[in-house]
Amino acid sequence: MAEIEYQQMLTNQNSGGSAVVVDFSNNTAVMDFVRWLKKQPQWFGNNASP
C-alpha cells in the first residue's frame, strides 16, 4: 500500500468545504485501528477483497 503524504488541511474542490487533519501516525493504537478498518469488507464491496 502506498504511503500518503500528510496534509494539515484538506479542501473539497467541488464544495469548497475543508477539514483540519490531525496526524496520529505516531499513535500505535490509532494506526492498528486504521489497519483493521481498511481490511473490513464494506470498503471493498460485496465480492471484492483487499
Side-chain angles (χ1 to χ4, degrees):
M1 183 172 284
E3 290 292 321
I4 298 172
E5 184 178 324
Y6 172 73
Q7 295 180 346
Q8 210 169 17
M9 173 83 62
L10 295 178
T11 302
N12 183 306
Q13 293 177 350
N14 295 324
S15 69
S18 60
V20 174
V21 179
V22 179
D23 183 0
F24 282 106
S25 62
N26 291 325
N27 185 318
T28 56
V30 172
M31 294 307 292
D32 287 345
F33 174 72
V34 170
R35 280 189 209 87
W36 173 83
L37 189 61
K38 287 181 175 181
K39 292 179 183 177
Q40 300 312 299
Q42 63 269 29
W43 296 111
F44 303 101
N46 292 336
N47 298 322
S49 61

